[in-house]
Amino acid sequence: MDADILIAGAGPAGLAAGLALGRLGKRVVVAGPADDRPSARTVALFDGSVRFLAALGVWDRIAPRAAPLATMRIVDDTGSLFAHRPTDFKASETGLEQFGFNIENADLTRALEAALAEERNARRRHDLVTGYDFEAERCRVHLADGETIEAHLVVAADGRASPARQAAGIGMREWAYPQVAFTALLDHTVAHGDASTEFHTREGPCTFVPLPATDTAPHRSSLVWMMRPAHADPLRALSDADLARAIEKQNHYLLGKITLARRGAFIPIQGLTARAMTAPRLALVGEAAHVFPPIGAQGLNLGLRDVAHLAEYIERLQPEDAGAPHVLDAYERARRGDVLSRQIAVDLLDRTLLAGFLPVDVLRAAGMAALTAIAPLRRFAMREGVLPGVGAPSVMRRPDQHP
Ligand SMILES: Cc1cc2nc3c(=O)[nH]c(=O)nc-3n(C[C@H](O)[C@H](O)[C@H](O)COP(=O)(O)OP(=O)(O)OC[C@H]3O[C@@H](n4cnc5c(N)ncnc54)[C@H](O)[C@@H]3O)c2cc1C
């Protein structure tokens, strides 16, 4: 074997997999182009993901570029008759200083690449994978430069189109939402106070998430603004200054005067779920296995839980052969519930906003009222939003959390 494990894809899930599996003493190859170009995308990483990245020894590289999220504020901006009042969820209520941290995607990728470069069991190839021959005992993986690498296990971290998933014949269900998400990095004049604010509109959430100060910009946030495609078209045509005015209006001037520091794309919103997380000699992680709307910062946190669980089973079961069927079976069983429950929760929340149907508004308002009034329920919801209470990978659990 040229490697124990080949990881296809060097996005955040693939790089984290390279680090986690390399640290277990497995010989890993991470193949795929580096993707650390500056973009207008950020990810909020919750407490469990931060614990995992700290255990991998990479958190110290990430922390200086990340902003803490101490409060999550939800504002009902639907205009509904039954709109509930703004609700603050505070990390301190759950015993945490912060729910997690927000960081630019490019900074996260750069930190993971740097850590991987120092991992002695990991080799980094920047070529695309062009083909797979799955066999009973191994997989032959063909790279764009003509090299073939034999490995016991392929970890597909190659994103939503996942050529590895397709090559292994794993089916998937894919669907579209009538929404696009506009992303941007913003400078503003009013401090965010370590609070992210989600305005729930009839077109989806419009979310402002804290970013750390720089030498030139003391107040910074990232924006994910979900809207109907018909609303996006006129915004696309606006100058940066006019778009900044539209954003100020959208958040009711919460952050004062806004300047666009980086203008991102309008991303079509999709959902995808793979029919299985494994096939012989293959495990899917990250968006190769599941994609959903950017609501509640669930996507990559779930992807990192895939990686942490895979590493946990390989460590616990101690297989000579990292792609042995019993390892893959254990991984498949561990992941299904977490993926399904997150997908259903995000989908439901999004659809209740889009519905514009009075009884649904009443139910949503009642749910928020219950969360506001009943502290134990609120704490439970906050904890579950950050990490599943049951069945989370051990490395992500807080000392006070039971298995
Ligand atoms: C607007 C927006 C906001 C979001 N905010 C959050 C958030 O706050 N918190 C959160 O947890 N999640 C968030 N997400 C989700 C998160 O961004 C994704 O879950 C995450 O980036 C997916 O990472 P990945 O490594 O699985 O896939 P990707 O980042 O897509 O990486 C896949 C990689 O595979 C490579 N590849 C493809 N084909 C091949 C091949 N043949 N050979 C080799 N390599 C290949 C690609 O080049 C790419 O680098 C957000 C998503 C969006 C759209």
Side-chain angles (χ1 to χ4, degrees):
M1 269 327 136
D2 305 306
D4 294 310
I5 302 168
L6 182 127
I7 296 156
L15 294 169
L19 272 176
L21 299 169
R23 283 174 73 97
L24 295 182
K26 297 293 175 194
R27 291 170 305 135
V28 300
V29 175
V30 180
D35 190 9
D36 58 1
R37 288 159 299 167
S39 72
R41 294 259 308 263
T42 67
V43 277
L45 295 172
F46 289 138
D47 186 61
S49 300
V50 173
R51 279 172 200 280
F52 179 44
L53 294 168
L56 296 181
V58 69
W59 183 251
D60 287 348
R61 294 175 198 262
I62 296 172
R65 318 280 300 186
L69 306 173
T71 302
M72 290 175 132
R73 181 173 304 126
I74 294 185
V75 181
D76 188 329
D77 205 11
T78 56
S80 159
L81 219 65
F82 294 95
H84 60 82
R85 56 191 163 79
T87 310
D88 279 6
F89 296 90
K90 290 189 183 298
S92 55
E93 275 193 76
T94 65
L96 292 171
E97 259 179 70
Q98 58 275 314
F99 291 110
F101 291 82
N102 191 40
I103 182 165
E104 288 183 40
N105 286 29
D107 285 336
L108 174 64
T109 308
R110 235 173 269 134
L112 289 167
E113 287 274 15
L116 191 68
E118 290 173 10
E119 171 51 58
R120 62 194 159 95
N121 293 318
R123 244 186 333 133
R124 182 75 177 87
R125 297 295 312 267
H126 288 87
D127 304 275
L128 282 172
V129 176
T130 52
Y132 301 87
D133 299 320
F134 289 102
E135 297 171 5
E137 303 290 321
R138 66 176 73 81
C139 181
R140 281 180 224 280
V141 182
H142 306 286
L143 300 186
D145 70 347
E147 193 188 347
T148 296
I149 295 177
E150 276 190 7
H152 279 305
L153 174 66
V154 172
V155 174
D158 48 357
R160 57 185 69 190
S162 186
R165 185 186 67 221
Q166 291 183 37
I170 299 180
M172 47 95 183
R173 197 166 68 82
E174 203 174 8
W175 62 99
Y177 293 84
Q179 290 162 305
V180 295
F182 170 63
T183 64
L185 304 188
L186 311 174
D187 296 343
H188 41 90
T189 52
V190 173
H192 51 57
D194 297 340
S196 87
T197 306
E198 223 168 85
F199 291 89
H200 286 183
T201 80
R202 281 281 176 232
E203 302 191 19
C206 175
T207 310
F208 296 78
V209 195
L211 280 173
T214 63
D215 293 343
T216 51
H219 306 303
R220 301 169 65 232
S221 292
S222 59
L223 166 68
V224 179
W225 184 358
M226 290 174 65
M227 62 187 84
R228 302 259 185 201
H231 184 183
D233 290 336
L235 290 180
R236 258 185 254 265
L238 293 181
S239 68
D240 282 3
D242 288 344
L243 189 51
R245 297 299 76 76
I247 297 168
E248 285 168 6
K249 195 166 161 221
Q250 181 70 21
N251 80 3
H252 306 280
Y253 307 94
L254 175 83
L255 297 171
K257 188 171 163 45
I258 285 175
T259 316
L260 279 183
R262 196 170 304 135
R263 180 176 178 146
F266 288 80
I267 304 165
I269 301 301
Q270 289 172 313
L272 178 152
T273 180
R275 301 261 180 224
M277 298 280 287
T278 59
R281 301 284 150 202
L282 180 72
L284 308 183
V285 298
E287 288 206 336
H290 42 72
V291 179
F292 39 81
I295 299 177
Q298 295 295 322
L300 183 59
N301 287 290
L302 189 64
L304 292 177
R305 291 207 288 281
D306 298 339
V307 173
H309 253 147
L310 183 62
E312 183 168 319
Y313 283 107
I314 290 178
E315 185 175 26
R316 198 189 292 172
L317 300 172
Q318 295 278 322
E320 271 297 298
D321 169 356
H326 67 291
V327 177
L328 294 178
D329 286 350
Y331 174 66
E332 177 87 48
R333 277 197 304 274
R335 295 311 302 144
R336 276 282 137 194
D338 191 10
V339 172
L340 192 66
S341 61
R342 302 283 142 170
Q343 213 143 26
I344 290 173
V346 168
D347 187 73
L348 262 181
L349 175 57
D350 199 17
R351 289 187 196 279
T352 61
L353 289 173
L354 293 173
F357 184 48
L358 215 58
V360 176
D361 284 355
V362 173
L363 276 179
R364 203 182 49 249
M368 285 309 293
L371 286 176
T372 310
I374 309 169
L377 184 66
R378 187 169 60 251
R379 281 197 292 274
F380 173 77
M382 285 191 276
R383 286 215 171 101
E384 281 294 317
V386 168
L387 191 71
V390 176
S394 326
V395 66
M396 292 190 168
R397 283 185 222 137
R398 292 153 50 159
D400 60 333
Q401 258 182 319
H402 299 295

